[in-house]
């Protein structure tokens, strides 16, 4: 038989046969052909549960991925009857048992319930329930199956010369926002309380199903579990593009941002080894074995608009962070503070997703139409605008940074680590006063009512000279464009630019003790710089220190001394 006629699904994952994860620079990577062959042979209608099976349908909030386990290193789905993707009944039973045992321990359901429903581990007596798994309930499960993943932690945080990018994009197969129908039946209807059965199952759903649940996969809408923390956010930026040019907003950008900032903060407090271990404990990882992180996230969209014309999104929703397992009270309290501090840090100094190091050019650079650069994020609820918002003026920046570092040190000490000020992670973006400078200015003019949008200064320096020098009768432009400071195409620069909205507080006319947010047209324009030894960087710092600049150094070793 001609080997080329064997469907990719049945070929070995080696070069020349089939490589689902590999994304070569061509129009027909193996993942596209694999999906096309699969969808073409799948039945147009999925399997139906029998009349004796009780069913319920649940909506996945983003993507859903299971690992069929056929090939090492490749995540591809379990495929059931009629060629449809399938969540196995055995996995379903495991989730049900774990959730039920938790509810029994808390006294929410009667003792012995799980032994009755699922059987006892130490006996041969089976339970009275049968778990039939779950199938997509909607016919559009074939849309956007190829999920492109970009591992970028090393490049974003650690790599000194970012022109030499290691790794790249990989593909996995996952369902995009499927509606899943799950089935359960019983051998003894008189012993089953179906309301209780579905209560236990929905408890299991709160932890997510399938793979990569800590990164936002396999999360379901409208789960009732009490979270560790939640925040209401809204933002806009460049949408992610799939292989087939379809666009989507990827909620895992929040987890990526917090993990990256955790690397930066802990990298400025302790050794590289310790920082990696601490972050892996928080978010999971595969360094020296597989580690289950303490934190998982879910983003519950309130609204989403994706512009096909310019490949951008506008989104608003609630970001929910939950614990994957119970912790002692002191650790749970410290982790809650750490998670909030990391999110505040991301909001103050950057944003989320593609091009998060830049303010949205559409908002702050009039007439710029070359291509989409930057993002813009804001707190979206009155509570978060008043209570979670940590910065309202330039004087708040330094105390806020010190508080973030203090909260991180508290968590470190509870895990048995201590700061090592003479031994830090040697990364490009380790957050230590010897390695980073934060500059800021008030954008806008209160008296003349000039809005901060119109008064943004630094965004133009990324594209045009920031100053001109006159030498021997010649005008010399000084610029950071194309340098290691600003970066360029496929090169990460050393500067972040953020326009952080200023929100003040006013009295609630209906409650004197309460405060309401007052939105202003002004911003804090912030520049975060990780200096190197280049001439361009030194010249730029000299300019920021000069009287020609409105910026002042707010944090870092240079806030207390001048450049020599």
């Amino acid at each position: 038989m001609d080997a080329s006629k064997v469907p990719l699904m049945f070929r070995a994952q080696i070069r020349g046969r089939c490589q689902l994860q590999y994304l070569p620079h061509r129009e027909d990577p193996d993942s596209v052909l694999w999906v096309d062959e699969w969808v073409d042979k799948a039945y147009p209608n999925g399997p139906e549960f029998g009349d004796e099976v009780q069913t319920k349908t649940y909506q996945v909030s983003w993507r859903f991925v299971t690992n069929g386990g056929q090939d090492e290193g490749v995540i591809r789905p379990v495929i059931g009857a009629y060629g449809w993707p399938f969540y196995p009944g055995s996995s379903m039973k495991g989730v049900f048992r774990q959730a039920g045992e938790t509810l029994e321990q808390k006294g929410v359901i009667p003792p012995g319930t799980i032994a009755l429903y699922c059987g006892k581990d130490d006996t041969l007596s089976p339970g009275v329930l049968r778990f039939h798994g779950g199938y997509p309930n909607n016919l559009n499960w074939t849309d956007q199956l190829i999920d492109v993943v970009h591992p970028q932690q090393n490049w974003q945080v650690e790599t000194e010369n970012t022109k030499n990018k290691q790794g790249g994009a990989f593909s996995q197969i996952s369902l995009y926002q499927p509606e899943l129908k799950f089935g359960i039946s019983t051998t003894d209807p008189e012993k089953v309380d179906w309301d209780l059965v579905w209560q236990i199952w929905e408890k299991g759903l709160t932890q997510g199903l399938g793979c990569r649940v800590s990164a936002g996969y396999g999360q379901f809408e409208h789960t009732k579990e009490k979270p560790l923390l939640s925040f209401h956010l809204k933002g806009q930026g460049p949408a992610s593009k799939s292989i087939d040019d379809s666009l989507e907003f990827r909620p895992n950008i929040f987890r990526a941002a917090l993990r990256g900032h955790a690397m930066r903060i802990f990298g400025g407090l302790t050794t590289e080894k310790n920082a990696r271990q601490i972050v892996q404990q928080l978010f999971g990882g595969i360094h020296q074995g597989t580690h289950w992180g303490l934190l998982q996230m879910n983003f519950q969209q309130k609204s989403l608009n994706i512009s096909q014309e310019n490949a951008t999104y506008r989104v608003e929703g609630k970001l929910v962070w939950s614990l994957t397992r119970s912790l002692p009270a002191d650790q749970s309290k410290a982790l809650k503070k750490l998670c909030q501090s990391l999110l505040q840090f991301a909001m103050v100094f950057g944003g989320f997703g593609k091009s998060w190091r830049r303010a949205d050019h559409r908002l702050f650079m009039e007439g710029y139409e070359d291509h989409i650069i930057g993002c813009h994020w804001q707190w979206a609820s009155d509570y978060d605008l008043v209570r979670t918002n940590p910065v309202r003026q330039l004087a708040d920046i330094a105390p806020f940074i010190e508080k973030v570092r203090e909260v991180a040190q508290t968590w470190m000490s509870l895990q048995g680590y201590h700061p090592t000020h003479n031994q830090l992670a040697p990364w490009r973006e380790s957050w230590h006063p010897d390695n980073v400078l934060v500059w800021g200015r008030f954008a806008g003019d209160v008296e003349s009512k000039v809005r901060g949008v119109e008064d943004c200064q630094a965004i133009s320096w990324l594209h045009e000279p920031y100053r001109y020098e006159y030498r021997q009768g010649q005008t010399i432009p000084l610029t950071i464009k194309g340098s290691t400071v600003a970066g360029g195409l496929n090169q990460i620069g050393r500067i972040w630019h953020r326009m952080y909205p200023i929100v003040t507080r006013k009295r609630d006319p209906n409650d004197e003790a309460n405060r309401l947010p007052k939105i202003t047209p002004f911003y804090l324009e912030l520049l975060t710089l990780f200096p190197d030894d280049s001439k361009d960087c030194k010249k730029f710092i000299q300019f920021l220190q000069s009287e020609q600049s409105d910026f002042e150094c707010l944090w870092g070793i240079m806030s207390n001394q001048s450049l020599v």
Side-chain angles (χ1 to χ4, degrees):
M1 179 179 178
D2 185 357
S4 65
K5 295 182 179 180
V6 176
L8 270 65
M9 183 177 291
F10 304 104
R11 298 190 194 181
Q13 292 293 318
I14 59 175
R15 187 178 294 275
R17 293 296 182 89
C18 178
Q19 287 189 305
L20 281 182
Q21 279 189 301
Y22 183 53
L23 288 178
H25 296 289
R26 64 172 194 253
E27 294 182 359
D28 56 345
D30 289 348
S31 56
V32 173
L33 299 177
W34 193 97
V35 164
D36 287 345
E37 291 178 347
W38 172 30
V39 171
D40 181 60
K41 298 302 180 181
Y43 281 51
N45 297 312
E48 295 289 340
F49 293 109
D51 293 339
E52 76 284 359
V53 179
Q54 300 285 324
T55 63
K56 276 204 172 185
T57 301
Y58 300 89
Q59 177 68 52
V60 176
S61 59
W62 178 43
R63 282 189 174 272
F64 178 73
V65 56
T66 56
N67 191 355
Q70 293 98 329
D71 298 293
E72 183 179 356
V74 177
I75 296 179
R76 66 182 197 177
V78 181
I79 299 177
Y82 301 166
W84 278 49
F86 176 58
Y87 185 72
S90 57
S91 300
M92 190 177 177
K93 182 179 180 180
V95 171
F96 185 92
R97 179 188 288 275
Q98 184 179 38
E101 290 174 347
T102 299
L103 293 176
E104 278 191 9
Q105 293 170 3
K106 293 181 177 180
V108 177
I109 62 176
T113 300
I114 297 307
L116 171 66
Y117 285 164
C118 299
K120 297 181 179 179
D121 292 334
D122 57 350
T123 69
L124 297 178
S125 59
V128 299
L129 293 182
R130 301 291 179 266
F131 297 87
H132 299 269
Y135 286 93
N137 193 44
N138 44 352
L139 299 179
N140 63 347
W141 65 267
T142 60
D143 296 341
Q144 297 179 243
L145 286 169
I146 300 177
D147 182 8
V148 181
V149 183
H150 297 265
Q152 294 203 15
Q153 178 175 290
N154 292 348
W155 197 47
Q156 293 276 354
V157 180
E158 304 170 30
T159 304
E160 186 68 22
N161 182 2
T162 56
K163 282 186 175 181
N164 300 324
K165 183 179 181 181
Q166 302 295 319
F170 303 91
S171 65
Q172 64 184 14
I173 311 301
S174 65
L175 306 187
Y176 181 70
Q177 294 184 334
E179 187 180 71
L180 299 179
K181 179 186 283 188
F182 297 95
I184 306 175
S185 65
T186 180
T187 59
D188 194 340
E190 293 185 358
K191 294 182 179 179
V192 175
D193 179 345
W194 284 106
D195 288 338
L196 182 59
V197 168
W198 292 113
Q199 177 189 348
I200 297 171
W201 176 240
E202 289 171 6
K203 167 65 177 178
L205 292 184
T206 62
Q207 295 298 314
L209 298 184
C211 305
R212 307 193 70 190
V213 294
S214 64
Y217 287 77
Q219 301 290 338
F220 291 79
E221 293 184 352
H222 310 304
T223 54
K224 300 176 182 179
E225 186 78 354
K226 184 178 180 181
L228 177 71
L229 276 172
S230 64
F231 309 91
H232 291 81
L233 309 173
K234 60 182 178 181
Q236 62 185 51
S240 295
K241 183 177 291 189
S242 300
I243 294 177
D244 61 359
D245 288 333
S246 58
L247 301 173
E248 69 173 292
F249 169 74
R250 298 178 63 85
N252 60 347
I253 61 176
F254 300 109
R255 180 179 181 271
L258 265 66
R259 185 185 183 109
H261 289 318
M263 291 287 287
R264 294 177 179 91
I265 297 299
F266 289 111
L269 294 171
T270 186
T271 65
E272 178 178 4
K273 179 182 178 181
N274 289 346
R276 289 189 189 280
Q277 291 176 340
I278 294 168
V279 173
Q280 188 164 250
Q281 178 198 31
L282 292 170
F283 297 97
I286 56 174
H287 181 65
Q288 296 181 343
T290 301
H291 300 269
W292 186 27
L294 289 170
L295 293 169
Q296 70 178 30
M297 57 139 285
N298 185 13
F299 185 69
Q300 300 168 3
Q301 290 178 10
K302 179 180 178 181
S303 64
L304 174 63
N305 180 272
I306 293 182
S307 170
Q308 298 292 332
E309 181 181 354
N310 56 16
T312 59
Y313 65 80
R314 294 177 65 93
V315 69
E316 181 175 343
K318 182 167 73 170
L319 179 63
V320 178
W321 289 91
S322 305
L323 287 174
T324 59
R325 51 194 180 273
S326 60
L327 289 175
D330 59 339
Q331 293 196 35
S332 180
K333 182 179 179 180
L335 183 54
K336 184 175 181 178
K337 289 183 178 180
L338 175 63
C339 191
Q340 175 170 296
S341 293
L342 290 174
L343 185 74
Q344 291 172 324
F345 188 89
M347 287 288 286
V348 170
F349 294 111
F352 307 98
K354 297 171 64 176
S355 200
W356 66 265
R357 285 174 167 81
R358 299 288 182 261
D360 195 324
H361 284 43
R362 294 171 296 168
L363 292 176
F364 300 104
M365 191 172 186
E366 185 178 357
Y368 186 85
E369 299 178 354
D370 289 5
H371 39 262
I372 301 300
I373 296 178
C375 64
H376 187 67
W377 286 87
Q378 303 174 74
W379 306 107
S381 71
D382 284 357
Y383 179 88
D384 287 313
L385 283 166
V386 173
R387 305 294 181 185
T388 312
N389 181 7
V391 170
R392 303 179 190 281
Q393 56 186 344
L394 291 176
D396 294 335
I397 293 292
F400 167 67
I401 294 173
E402 294 301 333
K403 181 181 177 182
V404 173
R405 285 163 55 85
E406 179 184 334
V407 168
Q409 290 182 66
T410 299
W411 174 255
M412 286 172 58
S413 65
L414 289 173
Q415 308 309 308
Y417 298 95
H418 300 285
T420 53
H421 299 292
N422 296 324
Q423 291 181 297
L424 306 174
W427 301 330
R428 184 183 78 254
E429 294 191 351
S430 292
W431 197 273
H432 186 274
D434 289 346
N435 194 54
V436 60
L437 298 166
V438 178
W439 302 75
R441 62 180 289 271
F442 181 91
D445 191 301
V446 177
E447 294 183 1
S448 60
K449 297 183 180 180
V450 174
R451 301 178 304 160
V453 172
E454 302 157 354
D455 190 36
C456 177
Q457 290 186 3
I459 197 167
S460 64
W461 301 342
L462 302 170
H463 307 278
E464 303 166 357
Y466 58 85
R467 192 176 79 175
Y468 291 90
E469 281 189 352
Y470 298 93
R471 303 177 197 162
Q472 300 177 349
Q474 291 186 330
T475 302
I476 309 296
L478 298 182
T479 182
I480 57 174
K481 180 180 179 181
S483 70
T484 58
V485 178
L489 186 63
N490 294 324
Q491 179 187 7
I492 295 178
R494 293 176 168 271
I495 193 169
W496 308 350
H497 177 232
R498 169 69 160 139
M499 296 293 287
Y500 188 71
I502 296 177
V503 179
T504 60
R505 291 177 286 190
K506 62 181 180 180
R507 289 184 181 275
D508 184 345
N510 300 316
D511 184 356
E512 287 295 321
N514 193 26
R515 294 291 183 270
L516 297 174
K518 181 181 179 182
I519 309 297
T520 77
F522 309 116
Y523 295 81
L524 299 181
E525 185 169 12
L526 302 174
L527 290 175
T528 302
L529 178 63
F530 299 89
D532 63 8
D533 293 329
S534 68
K535 181 179 178 181
D536 291 319
C537 186
K538 291 179 179 179
K539 284 280 188 181
F540 185 60
I541 292 175
Q542 287 176 339
F543 165 70
L544 291 175
Q545 287 185 300
S546 71
E547 295 181 355
Q548 293 179 287
S549 167
D550 292 337
F551 284 84
E552 60 179 293
C553 194
L554 305 173
W555 193 83
I557 194 169
M558 288 180 58
S559 60
N560 297 316
Q561 67 182 53
S562 298
L563 181 67
V564 178

